[in-house]
Amino acid sequence: MSATNFWLFLAAALVIAAIPGPGIFYVAARTLSEGRTSGFASTAGTALGGLVHVLAGSLGISAIILASAELFAVVKFVGALYLVWLGVRTFRSAGRVLSLESEAVGDSRAFRDGVLVEALNPKTAAFFLAFIPQFLDPASSSPTLQFIALGAISVTLNTLADVVVVLMAAATRTQLIVRPHLMRRLTQGSGLFIAGLGLSLALARRPVPG
């Protein structure tokens, strides 16, 4: 691709990464409820989930899912139910003993949750299929590799934004950890917010091809 196209893509990807979205809100809620290491684990998971969409988009799998109302609905509702379940679990965990960091087993679970939450979000697939092709060089002999490379850059920028959010949320949590009652309410709020993301995903409509 041309240098102009690349810099245009990079500028657009930076702006998109800086705009708060479901991924940022999700890792913030996990950090506030479970701690910094859990937030980083969630961030790593959503990054891997994003790369799954990049690979699926480059192979045409995402296009097949988005073209089928049935497949889109299945993926959407599985992802929505998973988010709602995570939210309920977080809400119910608010009464446990609080600590500055989550347990190691919780971190591995947070990573797994992050992967599934992102990979089961068809809206992410729709975004990559709508955004990246605008910057591909149609004359190139390897559009698939271009798609993967630009997708990987976009995921990296999004992940860096998530890391900043985790650090900010962790600092806030550190200030609140000495106030158990307030921290309990914050954890419950985080759970409700995660469940709300699931309900929002359930209401998402399948993009109509232009």
Side-chain angles (χ1 to χ4, degrees), residues 1-2 5-6 9 57-58 128-129 131-140 142-151:
M1 64 185 303
S2 67
N5 259 15
F6 175 77
F9 164 80
S58 69
F128 281 122
L129 288 181
F131 177 63
I132 294 179
Q134 301 179 54
F135 302 94
L136 299 181
D137 181 2
S140 171
S142 56
T144 298
L145 292 179
Q146 281 188 72
F147 190 101
I148 292 174
L150 295 183

Side-chain angles (χ1 to χ4, degrees), residues 25-46:
F25 290 129
Y26 170 73
V27 298
R30 289 300 293 261
T31 305
L32 289 171
S33 63
E34 299 177 23
R36 182 178 58 183
T37 56
S38 183
F40 283 139
S42 297
T43 296
T46 55

Side-chain angles (χ1 to χ4, degrees), residues 28-38 40 98-102 165-180 182-184 186-187:
R30 289 300 293 261
T31 305
L32 289 171
S33 63
E34 299 177 23
R36 182 178 58 183
T37 56
S38 183
F40 283 139
L98 300 174
S99 62
L100 284 175
E101 296 296 345
S102 56
V165 169
V166 168
L167 293 173
M168 294 173 64
T172 300
R173 187 175 191 271
T174 300
Q175 297 299 316
L176 297 176
I177 200 72
V178 295
R179 304 171 68 181
L182 183 58
M183 190 63 214
R184 187 176 301 110
L186 181 61
T187 302

Side-chain angles (χ1 to χ4, degrees), residues 14-198:
L14 279 169
V15 171
I16 292 171
I19 297 175
I24 283 180
F25 290 129
Y26 170 73
V27 298
R30 289 300 293 261
T31 305
L32 289 171
S33 63
E34 299 177 23
R36 182 178 58 183
T37 56
S38 183
F40 283 139
S42 297
T43 296
T46 55
L48 182 56
L51 291 176
V52 168
H53 281 295
V54 171
L55 183 59
S58 69
L59 297 176
I61 299 173
S62 293
I64 294 174
I65 292 175
L66 293 175
S68 168
E70 293 77 12
L71 286 176
F72 181 87
V74 168
V75 174
K76 179 182 73 171
F77 283 115
V78 170
L81 286 173
Y82 194 72
L83 271 170
V84 171
W85 176 74
L86 288 177
V88 171
R89 189 182 70 188
T90 300
F91 184 91
R92 294 181 61 185
S93 71
R96 75 176 188 269
V97 178
L98 300 174
S99 62
L100 284 175
E101 296 296 345
S102 56
E103 298 176 0
V105 64
D107 298 337
S108 62
R109 185 176 63 188
F111 174 77
R112 179 201 65 198
D113 290 344
V115 174
L116 292 176
V117 164
E118 189 70 11
L120 292 174
N121 187 352
K123 294 170 67 177
T124 303
F127 165 75
F128 281 122
L129 288 181
F131 177 63
I132 294 179
Q134 301 179 54
F135 302 94
L136 299 181
D137 181 2
S140 171
S141 60
S142 56
T144 298
L145 292 179
Q146 281 188 72
F147 190 101
I148 292 174
L150 295 183
I153 292 173
S154 182
V155 169
T156 299
L157 293 176
N158 292 339
T159 301
L160 291 175
D162 288 348
V163 167
V164 172
V165 169
V166 168
L167 293 173
M168 294 173 64
T172 300
R173 187 175 191 271
T174 300
Q175 297 299 316
L176 297 176
I177 200 72
V178 295
R179 304 171 68 181
H181 178 73
L182 183 58
M183 190 63 214
R184 187 176 301 110
R185 294 302 182 193
L186 181 61
T187 302
Q188 291 174 336
S190 297
L192 292 175
F193 191 84
I194 293 173
L197 290 176

